[in-house]
Amino acid sequence: ADLVIFNTCTVRENANLKVYGRLGQLKKIKNKNPEMITMLCGCMMQEESVVEKIKKSYRNVDIIFGTHNIFKFAELLSMKVLDRAESKKMIIDVWKDTTEIVEELPVERKYHFKSGVNIMFGCNNFCSYCIVPYVRGRERSREPEDIIAEIECLVKDGVVEVMLLGQNVNSYLWRGDSQEVNFPALLAMVAQTVPNMRIRFATSHPKDMNDDILRAIATHSNICKHIHLPFQSGSNSVLKDMNRKYTREWYLDRIRAIREIVPDCGISTDVFVGFHNESEEDYQQTLDLMKEVMFDSAFMFKYSERPGTMASRNLPDNVDEEVKGRRLQELIDMQVEISHQSNLKDVGKVFEVLVEGVSKKKSDELFGRSSQNKVIVFPDNGAKVGELVQVRVTECTPATLIGEAIKN
Ligand code: SAH
Ligand code: SF4
């Protein structure tokens, strides 16, 4: 490669450690190929201690930039290309100031048929374990007109599914001179402007998941029936220490509301074990909540302490690694079983599937996702990537639905 870019994530420690591992590998490659340019970006670069460490121990990195000046990518790269002959100096350009929202960035899309659209940046919630507010700054919502304009461009380019993105999209709020637009209003605006586009959104925070949002999903058939609603822990005392600002009862009430207002909604979640003082009893409540809700899928983690967070200062990381590992494995095993149960319930039903590509396991099969965000595999019926197909589910595994396309 002429250019290697590592786009980093610092939410959990593991991801950070991987970056250092990769930088080590890169050293050898770069020694053989000194012309190669290496760039580091993403929220790990917003941590001063990380940049210091790279400056000291990984001298062969050429450019470091952060999340708030991502638009300078091309400029920084051309500086390096032009200077290469004379300068061996590392270019470091990381901004602390997070007030800016820069519109009309050039885009290169990973898929031609689906795309993410940021509707807001940053986070104000300061969950005690989380580094995001420190590296991503305070919450800033984009102007609705800019969001709509970007989505209309996507339609012209043939994109058929957008994912509205933010750390806590439920608290999206744009205050203009004469109007205020909240998240349910934005959802309705987008759904009406692009009626043939499938619309998704993530991530939702339980404290802000109100019935207006659910009604917007229920009203507009092009808003996908899937909600990712992280619960993090089933124990009220752990939730309090996490500063999540809701209780187990509140969370379960939101699940009830989802099931009532959007009956066929897929629900997924995030949860992590081993936070400060998590007892066996607390952990049991997490298991119980998962059994009660029966999530379709879940991202499950072990707590890792992140520098600068409230927890790192005041709530010692005092659950044994071994205990964390055991709890996590049990959680995963249980969720595999629950996901299987959830999939079994779909056997016999028909779903509209957006075709995403050829199945990795069998070249004569296609795969795609239902509105509920479940992966469905079916024999190739000639549909193209990006097309919508009606598929009847005939069988399933814990992770995948298997079906056959039906004629419209
Ligand atoms: N804004 C989203 C998700 C942010 S990070 C939300 O509030 O839900 C994605 C997930 O990583 C979190 O939901 C949480 O489950 C996990 N996570 C965040 N910080 C963590 C930490 N220090 N240790 C382990 N998991 C963490
Ligand atoms: Fe982190 Fe909490 Fe903000 Fe999510 S809501 S990004 S977990 S501080």
Side-chain angles (χ1 to χ4, degrees):
D2 298 317
L3 170 66
V4 173
I5 308 172
F6 288 150
N7 189 10
T8 62
C9 169
T10 192
V11 169
R12 286 172 297 276
E13 195 187 8
N14 240 348
N16 271 31
L17 297 178
K18 273 190 199 151
V19 172
Y20 292 122
R22 293 286 170 92
L23 283 175
Q25 290 173 337
L26 208 61
K27 254 186 197 167
K28 289 181 214 140
I29 303 172
K30 182 127 178 177
N31 284 345
K32 278 193 231 149
N33 179 12
E35 291 294 289
M36 183 173 85
I37 295 180
T38 53
M39 288 177 111
L40 277 173
C41 60
C43 60
M44 190 175 156
M45 300 306 124
Q46 294 294 137
E47 287 180 78
E48 264 166 50
S49 60
V50 167
V51 175
E52 283 310 311
K53 180 165 171 176
I54 292 169
K55 256 165 55 182
K56 241 173 64 207
S57 309
Y58 300 91
R59 293 298 316 159
N60 53 10
V61 169
D62 295 302
I63 305 168
I64 295 179
F65 63 104
T67 47
H68 307 309
N69 61 340
I70 196 163
F71 59 91
K72 287 190 73 183
F73 163 73
E75 187 185 326
L76 295 173
L77 180 59
S78 55
M79 259 164 73
K80 191 76 205 176
V81 172
L82 297 175
D83 283 357
R84 188 149 54 176
E86 305 129 59
S87 156
K88 285 264 166 279
K89 258 183 38 203
M90 194 185 287
I91 299 177
I92 300 174
D93 195 352
V94 178
W95 293 11
K96 284 279 162 231
D97 180 10
T98 63
T99 48
E100 201 115 357
I101 293 183
V102 179
E103 294 294 344
E104 293 174 29
L105 291 178
V107 286
E108 183 64 47
R109 275 189 288 280
K110 191 168 168 199
Y111 306 101
H112 68 273
F113 62 94
K114 67 173 182 179
S115 178
V117 171
N118 289 308
I119 62 166
M120 60 199 300
F121 300 93
C123 182
N124 286 351
N125 289 319
F126 289 93
C127 301
S128 62
Y129 53 82
C130 183
I131 199 170
V132 170
Y134 303 92
V135 291
R136 290 291 175 130
R138 292 303 76 72
E139 217 169 86
R140 287 98 67 206
S141 292
R142 279 177 78 193
E143 196 170 333
E145 280 70 26
D146 291 328
I147 297 170
I148 299 278
E150 182 173 336
I151 294 174
E152 283 179 325
C153 277
L154 293 172
V155 174
K156 283 200 196 99
D157 289 352
V159 171
V160 287
E161 185 178 284
V162 284
M163 168 89 98
L164 308 180
L165 294 170
Q167 291 298 343
N168 175 12
V169 288
N170 307 159
S171 69
Y172 172 88
L173 185 63
W174 166 258
R175 284 204 182 91
D177 293 336
S178 60
Q179 61 162 0
E180 223 181 65
V181 178
N182 62 13
F183 186 58
L186 179 76
L187 264 183
M189 269 166 86
V190 174
Q192 279 156 17
T193 313
V194 286
N196 296 323
M197 178 93 104
R198 293 218 297 195
I199 297 149
R200 299 188 181 279
F201 58 87
T203 297
S204 293
H205 194 301
K207 79 178 166 63
D208 301 312
M209 175 45 85
N210 61 43
D211 292 357
D212 286 348
I213 298 170
L214 299 175
R215 282 190 212 101
I217 303 172
T219 312
H220 299 278
S221 60
N222 56 333
I223 302 180
C224 287
K225 295 189 168 34
H226 171 235
I227 295 175
H228 184 67
L229 197 65
F231 78 101
Q232 316 298 12
S233 167
S235 149
N236 280 336
S237 75
V238 175
L239 285 171
K240 193 153 192 292
D241 281 344
M242 288 178 168
N243 192 30
R244 285 291 283 181
K245 305 187 185 90
Y246 56 83
T247 58
R248 171 192 180 90
E249 293 73 26
W250 171 272
Y251 186 87
L252 289 172
D253 178 70
R254 293 297 77 210
I255 296 291
R256 179 203 54 74
I258 295 172
R259 299 238 151 100
E260 191 178 302
I261 302 172
V262 194
D264 48 351
C265 196
I267 307 177
S268 55
T269 198
D270 292 349
V271 48
F272 64 96
V273 295
F275 187 56
H276 169 74
N277 278 358
E278 184 190 66
S279 65
E280 264 327 288
E281 214 180 352
D282 293 318
Y283 163 65
Q284 197 57 47
Q285 294 189 10
T286 293
L287 290 174
D288 288 349
L289 189 144
M290 292 178 79
K291 276 188 221 151
E292 187 169 341
V293 176
M294 302 274 290
F295 294 104
D296 298 303
S297 61
F299 294 111
M300 295 162 275
F301 312 106
K302 279 193 289 194
Y303 173 56
S304 64
E305 191 173 278
R306 308 305 297 122
T309 57
M310 206 288 264
S312 74
R313 284 176 271 123
N314 304 310
L315 306 169
D317 181 7
N318 55 4
V319 176
D320 260 20
E321 262 318 296
E322 208 179 295
V323 173
K324 285 183 190 171
R326 195 246 311 146
R327 289 181 186 168
L328 177 60
Q329 195 52 52
E330 249 175 54
L331 214 64
I332 293 172
D333 293 344
M334 187 183 74
Q335 183 56 42
V336 167
E337 185 49 39
I338 293 175
S339 296
H340 198 187
Q341 294 296 326
S342 155
N343 282 352
L344 282 168
K345 283 195 202 148
D346 288 338
V347 173
K349 292 186 191 163
V350 175
F351 293 95
E352 185 179 74
V353 174
L354 177 68
V355 180
E356 298 206 359
V358 175
S359 155
K360 283 180 198 94
K361 289 193 187 132
K362 287 192 196 154
S363 61
D364 57 350
E365 288 188 342
L366 300 175
F367 79 98
R369 275 168 203 274
S370 66
S371 170
Q372 287 75 5
N373 207 33
K374 284 193 179 176
V375 173
I376 306 191
V377 177
F378 60 98
D380 190 345
N381 68 334
K384 303 254 171 332
V385 171
E387 263 176 38
L388 292 168
V389 178
Q390 300 291 325
V391 178
R392 173 171 291 112
V393 176
T394 51
E395 53 183 319
C396 70
T397 69
T400 317
L401 298 176
I402 301 160
E404 55 197 18
I406 54 172
K407 299 220 164 50
N408 290 333

